[in-house]
Amino acid sequence: MGKPKHYRPPGKKKEGNAARYVTRSQAIKILQVSLSDFRKLCIHKGVFPREPKKKVKGNHHTYYHLKDVMYILHDPLLEKFREIRAYQRKIKKAKAKKNDELAKLLLSRAPSYRLDMVIRDRYPTFIDALRDLDDPLTMVHLFAMLPAIDRLKIEVKRIHNCRRLCHEWQAYISRTHKLRKVFVAVKGIYYQAEVDGQKITWLAPHARQQVLTDDVDFNVMLTFLEFYEALLGFVNFQLYHSINVKYPPILDPRLEALAADLYALSRYFDANHRAAIQEPQVAGSSRSEQEQEESDLRLAQLQHQLPANEPGALMHLVQDASSEIEEDETTRNCKNLFQNKKIFLSREVPRESLLFVIPAFGGIVSWEGDGAPFAESDDSITHQIVDRPTQGHVYLSREYVQPQWVYDCINARIILPTEPYMVGRDPPPHLSPFVDDEAEGYVPDYAKTIRQLQAAAKSDIQPLPGTGNDELDNSQNMLAEGFINRTEAMEAAEKKQEMMFLEQQYHNELKMELQGVSSINKLNSEDTESKEQSLPDVEEQSAEDPSRLMMSRKKRGLYKAIEMGKQQKKERVEKLKERKRNIEAAQKSEKKHKKAQVS
């Protein structure tokens, strides 16, 4: 009897997947650490399980690439973890011998580790850190809303640190007008900001009491949180220094005690800016003078001696800092959306979210409570955000709207009419800015209305490119005053008429593009109609075409998957249309019922 086909003598070098991949138990043996420490090292170093094509040890094992394991083996963090584990054994031994003094001494000198080098290693450039910021922001915002529970090792200090990091990030985004999209969903509020060309999307939970479930491993989540806190701290540091603001910020203790952290941060920005202006711009100024000024600023802040912000300066970007940053067109549009709008928040609205988004788009905001910049009785308030069925005391000088109006204005980039959002009314559907209606194949009615309003707003401010009509309008006046002769005046009048015709044509083309019909298609409408009529025949021919039978099995499977995707999209659109028809029918029947009751 001969040797088996895949027989390998003992001691022979391994090949293929057996050499490239190791199981989790093998990785732990190589690293000589416990399972909990191995998990921590993998999370901090960004090492995740792999799926080899051929699982040598079986399907019930977790596999890691050998290079990833060796990457952890040569990291200084591994030695630090071993040192901490040995030190914990000493403490345990002292407690077992009931030597409390030694145990206390050992606990006070317990070694710790920092993740600075790990973050520098994983993110060589600042853009790399920004690209990977979605999950850290979501996790930190989640823990900022969780209650502190000792049983799950969720400490109060940890929660406060998460809230601080969240408010620092929000203050920067709000001050630099980097916010782009907001969507309020059942899970929470989705935000999207654009920082240094990178789109960062995160989810912030609603400000409600969170119930913790038992089916979540909080040890793993807390390990992720530890890394994310360090990463977000470094990102905030870099962002604050990019606009010449000192980090970490020193908040007014009174406002901090009132939980008005975002407003306290705005005052910090303002105070930091004033300190920078007062600082003498002399090249030979000594270091001791600068340190003295810093200590004076800290003392003034701690003694509540910071000058109070005027309402117009509240939540407004520091002028010098904004002048140093080159703003693109989108940032300028966002900055001026709620310009000259003074908004007051009633106590039942989501205050923290609105305090973040309204200043990000150039608005001035206040709320009901201690530490607010202006009171509800201020006559200059233009809008009041209310989320209740009726409003008791009404000021005629302002408009009362629901919170959805703010978010819809932000996503549409225009000031929408307030009538559909008035108190006591059912507001229009809150459309997600993250959904591409054209790609989905279904455009909601309110999305069409918003597009018409956007087109109307653009037509009001967009003249025909390259036209300056001032000289043409003054041609008759110039003729009367004798600056030009009659022939030149007639030429100017003809030119003006031609420009008006071109402008009208330009606006017509814009309208046609808005309706999904280009001017070229309009000219060749008969040809396009004949093509559209012939399209289904072509599809039927391709379905019956025997060339599909000549496709390889893989290509045929891909083709089927594409067809199934198209069919699912059609069914989804059909379901949405049917739902719309049912709602309209229900509304009509309700109106008829009301009329019958009245009559």
Side-chain angles (χ1 to χ4, degrees):
M1 187 175 174
K3 291 180 183 179
K5 189 177 179 183
H6 297 293
Y7 174 74
R8 183 183 295 115
K12 180 85 174 177
K13 189 178 177 183
K14 292 180 182 179
E15 297 171 356
N17 283 350
R20 282 194 293 271
Y21 295 95
V22 292
T23 61
R24 189 175 68 181
S25 55
Q26 286 175 328
I28 289 170
K29 279 183 183 177
I30 292 168
L31 297 175
Q32 291 293 301
V33 290
S34 65
L35 179 60
S36 60
D37 284 349
F38 176 71
R39 279 181 182 150
K40 279 187 179 181
L41 284 164
C42 286
I43 289 167
H44 290 327
K45 298 298 291 179
V47 172
F48 298 99
R50 303 287 189 99
E51 285 289 327
K53 287 183 179 178
K54 185 181 178 183
K55 297 181 177 179
V56 182
K57 296 280 184 180
N59 291 330
H60 59 283
H61 284 287
T62 305
Y63 291 87
Y64 290 85
H65 203 288
L66 188 61
K67 283 187 177 179
D68 291 338
V69 177
M70 301 313 289
Y71 173 59
I72 295 173
L73 182 63
H74 295 98
D75 194 86
L77 200 60
L78 178 62
E79 287 298 322
K80 202 71 182 173
F81 272 43
R82 286 174 179 162
E83 183 187 337
I84 290 168
R85 199 151 192 84
Y87 201 86
Q88 283 172 348
R89 284 198 206 100
K90 284 184 183 179
I91 296 168
K92 194 176 179 181
K93 193 175 178 182
K95 284 180 178 177
K97 289 183 176 181
K98 296 183 180 180
N99 192 345
D100 295 335
E101 289 184 9
L102 179 61
K104 279 183 183 178
L105 184 66
L106 289 171
L107 279 169
S108 64
R109 295 177 179 178
S112 60
Y113 60 92
R114 294 174 65 85
L115 298 172
D116 304 6
M117 293 307 296
V118 177
I119 289 168
R120 187 67 184 270
D121 188 32
R122 284 183 65 175
Y123 306 106
T125 63
F126 184 57
I127 298 295
D128 294 330
L130 290 176
R131 282 185 192 135
D132 203 22
L133 211 58
D134 292 6
D135 285 343
L137 281 170
T138 303
M139 181 77 84
V140 172
H141 276 81
L142 170 65
F143 272 88
M145 290 292 176
L146 290 184
I149 300 174
D150 294 334
R151 175 175 57 87
L152 298 172
K153 298 179 183 177
I154 303 174
E155 300 172 356
V156 177
K157 185 173 70 175
R158 209 77 181 272
I159 303 299
H160 282 305
N161 190 43
C162 288
R163 283 189 65 79
R164 179 183 63 81
L165 289 168
C166 290
H167 286 137
E168 286 168 4
W169 167 262
Q170 289 177 6
Y172 171 81
I173 296 296
S174 184
R175 281 308 187 93
T176 52
H177 310 286
K178 301 289 186 185
L179 195 64
R180 295 293 175 265
K181 293 177 183 177
V182 187
F183 179 61
V184 183
V186 177
K187 287 183 180 179
I189 304 174
Y190 290 87
Y191 299 102
Q192 188 179 84
E194 191 173 348
V195 182
D196 289 354
Q198 303 301 316
K199 288 182 180 176
I200 302 164
T201 309
W202 72 96
L203 172 65
H206 294 294
R208 294 197 189 101
Q209 186 177 1
Q210 304 294 325
V211 180
L212 303 183
T213 57
D214 295 330
D215 57 347
V216 176
D217 190 350
F218 278 95
N219 287 325
V220 175
M221 289 187 73
L222 286 166
T223 307
F224 272 106
L225 181 67
E226 184 184 4
F227 179 76
Y228 290 159
E229 281 179 298
L231 173 61
L232 192 54
F234 277 106
V235 169
N236 285 346
F237 172 84
Q238 180 69 21
L239 292 173
Y240 273 59
H241 278 257
S242 68
I243 56 171
N244 296 326
V245 174
K246 292 175 186 175
Y247 186 87
I250 309 155
L251 303 186
D252 187 339
R254 185 177 63 89
L255 289 171
E256 200 173 1
L258 293 167
D261 293 352
L262 270 176
Y263 180 51
L265 275 164
S266 77
R267 293 189 63 172
Y268 170 74
F269 272 77
D270 190 51
N272 211 311
H273 171 53
R274 288 181 186 179
I277 292 172
Q278 290 169 6
E279 192 173 310
Q281 301 294 326
V282 183
S285 61
S286 64
R287 188 177 180 82
S288 60
E289 288 177 5
Q290 292 178 2
E291 288 174 358
Q292 181 64 34
E293 286 176 5
E294 284 178 20
S295 63
D296 290 345
L297 173 62
R298 286 168 186 264
L299 189 64
Q301 284 175 322
L302 291 172
Q303 293 176 347
H304 313 295
Q305 292 175 357
L306 284 178
N309 278 353
E310 303 83 4
L314 175 68
M315 291 291 188
H316 202 275
L317 182 63
V318 178
Q319 295 299 324
D320 283 9
S322 63
S323 63
E324 289 175 10
I325 302 167
E326 292 183 5
E327 294 179 349
D328 56 353
E329 190 179 352
T330 311
T331 307
R332 282 195 295 272
N333 291 339
C334 293
K335 188 177 176 179
N336 299 325
L337 181 65
F338 290 131
Q339 197 174 22
N340 304 323
K341 299 284 186 296
K342 201 169 179 181
I343 300 170
F344 186 83
L345 309 178
S346 296
R347 66 177 181 273
E348 72 277 359
V349 302
R351 191 182 88 177
E352 196 160 308
S353 174
L354 292 168
L355 278 175
F356 168 44
V357 300
I358 291 170
F361 288 84
I364 302 166
V365 66
S366 183
W367 64 92
E368 191 174 335
D370 295 333
F374 52 88
E376 186 180 359
S377 57
D378 195 333
D379 294 334
S380 58
I381 295 171
T382 57
H383 295 80
Q384 184 163 340
I385 311 298
V386 180
D387 197 9
R388 61 181 77 161
T390 55
Q391 174 68 22
H393 183 70
V394 176
Y395 292 89
L396 299 176
S397 60
R398 69 187 69 166
E399 295 185 76
Y400 291 84
V401 290
Q402 297 179 44
Q404 189 186 321
W405 176 77
V406 175
Y407 299 118
D408 286 351
C409 287
I410 287 167
N411 295 329
R413 293 287 193 282
I414 56 168
I415 300 298
L416 295 169
T418 56
E419 191 177 350
Y421 300 91
M422 289 177 73
V423 180
R425 293 191 181 181
D426 290 335
H430 182 48
L431 304 174
S432 172
F434 299 98
V435 175
D436 187 359
D437 296 327
E438 300 296 337
E440 290 294 321
Y442 176 76
V443 182
D445 290 343
Y446 193 57
K448 293 174 185 175
T449 306
I450 288 173
R451 287 183 186 182
Q452 288 172 0
L453 292 167
Q454 286 171 336
K458 283 181 182 178
S459 64
D460 288 343
I461 58 170
Q462 276 191 351
L464 178 67
T467 60
N469 296 331
D470 296 340
E471 295 178 4
L472 305 177
D473 290 334
N474 295 330
S475 58
Q476 295 297 326
N477 297 335
M478 292 172 76
L479 172 65
E481 291 173 10
F483 290 107
I484 58 172
N485 58 27
R486 187 169 293 277
T487 309
E488 289 173 349
M490 285 173 69
E491 285 175 1
E494 285 173 5
K495 190 175 180 183
K496 181 184 175 183
Q497 195 172 359
E498 186 181 348
M499 288 294 180
M500 285 172 67
F501 173 77
L502 287 170
E503 189 171 4
Q504 186 63 35
Q505 189 179 357
Y506 171 69
H507 287 304
N508 290 339
E509 285 177 2
L510 276 179
K511 284 179 185 175
M512 283 192 286
E513 283 178 6
L514 196 67
Q515 294 167 3
V517 182
S518 64
S519 57
I520 299 166
N521 288 342
K522 193 179 177 184
L523 291 170
N524 303 321
S525 58
E526 293 178 2
D527 296 339
T528 52
E529 282 174 10
S530 63
K531 284 179 184 176
E532 283 173 5
Q533 287 172 2
S534 64
L535 272 174
D537 299 332
V538 172
E539 286 180 5
E540 287 172 10
Q541 286 173 9
S542 65
E544 297 171 2
D545 195 357
S547 63
R548 274 185 61 187
L549 300 172
M550 304 296 291
M551 288 182 184
S552 65
R553 191 174 180 181
K554 188 176 179 182
K555 286 182 179 177
R556 201 157 50 237
L558 285 170
Y559 185 77
K560 279 183 184 176
I562 291 166
E563 290 298 317
M564 282 173 65
K566 287 180 181 177
Q567 187 61 32
Q568 284 174 1
K569 190 183 282 187
K570 282 180 185 176
E571 287 173 4
R572 197 161 56 244
V573 169
E574 218 30 68
K575 198 181 287 183
L576 287 168
K577 287 179 179 176
E578 188 181 350
R579 194 184 297 172
K580 180 184 167 185
R581 286 194 293 269
N582 293 339
I583 290 167
E584 286 175 352
Q587 286 175 348
K588 282 180 183 177
S589 64
E590 193 179 346
K591 282 180 183 177
K592 283 180 183 177
H593 184 64
K594 283 182 180 178
K595 282 181 182 178
Q597 282 182 341
V598 171
S599 61

